[in-house]
Amino acid sequence: MKFSAVAITSLLSFALAHPEVLSIRELQRRSAISKRCEATAANFNRKRMAKRTTKRWAGAGNTTYQIQTEAPYYNSIQNDTCVLTPTVTGGPYIWPRSQTLRQDMSESQPGVPLWMDIGVLDVNTCEPLPNVLVNLWHCNATGSYSSFTGRSPNTPFEQLLEEVGIDIADLISGKADLHTDETTFLRGMWPTNAEGMMEMKTTFPGFYVERAIHIHVQAYTDWTLLENGTVSSGNIVSTGQLFFDEDLSSQIMALEPYSSHTEIDRTLNSVDSIFAGESNGYNPVMSVIPADGEDYTNGVIGYITLGVDPTGASSSGGSGGPPPS
Ligand SMILES: *[C@@H]1O[C@H](CO)[C@@H](O)[C@H](O)[C@H]1NC(C)=O
Ligand SMILES: *[C@@H]1O[C@H](CO)[C@@H](O)[C@H](O)[C@H]1NC(C)=O
Ligand SMILES: *[C@@H]1O[C@H](CO)[C@@H](O)[C@H](O)[C@H]1NC(C)=O
Ligand SMILES: *[C@@H]1O[C@H](CO)[C@@H](O)[C@H](O)[C@H]1NC(C)=O
């Protein structure tokens, strides 16, 4: 089957990002859920921050980073919940085989340290959800994804497919994929604790062609750890992408090694199609504070509350196998 470049682009954003274009009604529904859970989300965030000021990084093993001052209080509590949806796929760089159960997925990738503090709420009850496996993956400071390091982060996607001779239909059906290797950097997963919280250390992402800076997230409410260390997930999977404020991104992108990525221009949130879709009615932007209380370029703590529907309709799940088709 032959597709024009324009058709491929729209097909891709359709199939790989938003397989089901969200109806106005669905957006309104999510916005309403987000609003309804506002008070709980705010409390939840407050609790997490309290926890951080008292226990942060005590006995953090090999983490040499030390908090210098009392952790500052984030001054605008983010009440919006980022509502994930079971019907969105994870994009072309999803690679469940390389996802690893761990709380530090940086693997010494250079860049600004980022601690992600993620809370998960049940959107039906607005209560925290314990034991939800939160699966995260993103590109490195210069735009490369592990397991796909042989692919240029600067080549527009339709051109990339053409170069490697992969048919879009095969990619979408899962018959073909773009992976090139078994590296695992900047991929990790960890379950939420009894309070519905988890945290992951990583390196602040850079950017690749045609996309704003983002982190992919999937949440599984039904999962089992297999003997070989891979995870088998039930069929309830929620997927989304998390973003950062442009001011923060500009500040960080001005630093090495991010600033060495000069081959392409960075796509801003304001023109990113997925950001536009996701931020309609609910908030996928992480709330941030500088880890040392002073300077974001020394390290960032990011907070977000994810809303998932554990009773909701499901999409293909599967960790440990090929990407969901
Ligand atoms: C967040 O929610 C709390 C509790 O409902 C409210 O007091 C506060 O003003 C809200 N903050 C913002 C920034 O909306
Ligand atoms: C710290 O890292 C070293 C080398 O990577 C490893 O051998 C050691 O087990 C780690 N210690 C902890 C507490 O994680
Ligand atoms: C990002 O990953 C690619 C592929 O492994 C590597 O060539 C590049 O040096 C990495 N970026 C940085 C800043 O280390
Ligand atoms: C791990 O075990 C599961 C279940 O036995 C199997 O399906 C999967 O292929 C294994 N994965 C690896 C990487 O060995």
Side-chain angles (χ1 to χ4, degrees):
M1 204 161 186
K2 268 277 185 210
F3 293 92
S4 74
V6 170
I8 286 180
T9 306
S10 44
L11 222 119
L12 276 173
S13 30
F14 184 73
L16 296 174
H18 283 176
E20 283 178 27
V21 170
L22 301 175
S23 63
I24 301 282
R25 202 165 151 200
E26 171 61 13
L27 289 170
Q28 281 168 346
R29 186 184 75 89
R30 289 204 244 163
S31 172
I33 288 168
S34 181
K35 286 249 166 352
R36 187 162 58 76
C37 295
E38 194 173 276
T40 326
N43 259 335
F44 196 31
N45 286 343
R46 229 175 261 126
K47 254 198 244 162
R48 274 184 287 168
M49 281 176 247
K51 169 182 159 243
R52 186 173 298 281
T53 53
T54 53
K55 298 217 306 227
R56 188 62 195 159
W57 296 316
N62 274 342
T63 310
T64 51
Y65 196 90
Q66 287 293 316
I67 204 154
Q68 294 307 320
T69 60
E70 177 115 323
Y73 217 85
Y74 188 67
N75 57 16
S76 86
I77 289 183
Q78 185 181 306
N79 290 353
D80 292 352
T81 303
C82 177
V83 179
L84 301 186
T85 170
T87 53
V88 172
T89 69
Y93 302 110
I94 189 170
W95 200 244
R97 263 183 243 166
S98 294
Q99 295 298 137
T100 308
L101 200 66
R102 55 184 168 183
Q103 282 195 279
D104 183 347
M105 63 187 208
S106 30
E107 286 190 24
S108 47
Q109 284 287 314
V112 171
L114 168 66
W115 288 267
M116 278 189 278
D117 221 8
I118 296 180
V120 180
L121 287 183
D122 179 338
V123 297
N124 301 300
T125 61
C126 298
E127 291 299 321
L129 266 180
N131 202 31
V132 174
L133 189 67
V134 179
N135 193 1
L136 300 155
W137 69 101
H138 62 83
C139 69
N140 74 3
T142 45
S144 291
Y145 278 90
S146 63
S147 300
F148 297 81
T149 61
R151 305 297 177 211
S152 166
N154 306 324
T155 307
F157 205 73
E158 63 265 35
Q159 190 185 326
L160 184 73
L161 285 183
E162 206 166 289
E163 279 173 17
V164 298
I166 285 182
D167 192 284
I168 179 78
D170 289 345
L171 190 70
I172 292 166
S173 72
K175 249 198 267 169
D177 68 72
L178 289 166
H179 103 286
T180 58
D181 56 90
E182 307 304 323
T183 53
T184 58
F185 61 81
L186 310 181
R187 294 177 185 271
M189 50 192 177
W190 199 254
T192 56
N193 65 12
E195 283 80 48
M197 304 171 199
M198 63 80 77
E199 91 186 359
M200 180 69 79
K201 179 171 184 266
T202 188
T203 302
F204 197 92
F207 58 92
Y208 56 100
V209 71
E210 297 165 340
R211 288 303 320 281
I213 295 172
H214 65 276
I215 292 177
H216 292 271
V217 57
Q218 276 191 336
Y220 315 101
T221 51
D222 174 19
W223 59 280
T224 328
L225 189 60
L226 302 177
E227 264 178 40
N228 60 15
T230 66
V231 166
S232 134
S233 71
N235 62 355
I236 301 165
V237 179
S238 298
T239 309
Q241 296 184 23
L242 309 176
F243 295 82
F244 296 90
D245 191 80
E246 283 300 343
D247 288 346
L248 176 69
S249 294
S250 316
Q251 214 178 322
I252 291 177
M253 292 308 115
L255 307 169
E256 281 296 342
Y258 303 92
S259 61
S260 68
H261 193 186
T262 53
E263 296 87 347
I264 52 170
D265 289 332
R266 181 164 73 85
T267 297
L268 303 181
N269 290 342
S270 55
V271 293
D272 185 276
S273 58
I274 294 172
F275 181 84
E278 271 204 59
S279 56
N280 194 342
Y282 59 102
N283 194 351
V285 178
M286 293 202 108
S287 299
V288 292
I289 54 172
D292 65 358
E294 285 166 16
D295 187 350
Y296 285 106
T297 65
N298 292 332
V300 176
I301 298 169
Y303 298 93
I304 196 145
T305 302
L306 305 177
V308 304
D309 181 359
T311 63
S314 55
S315 74
S316 51
S319 225
S325 47

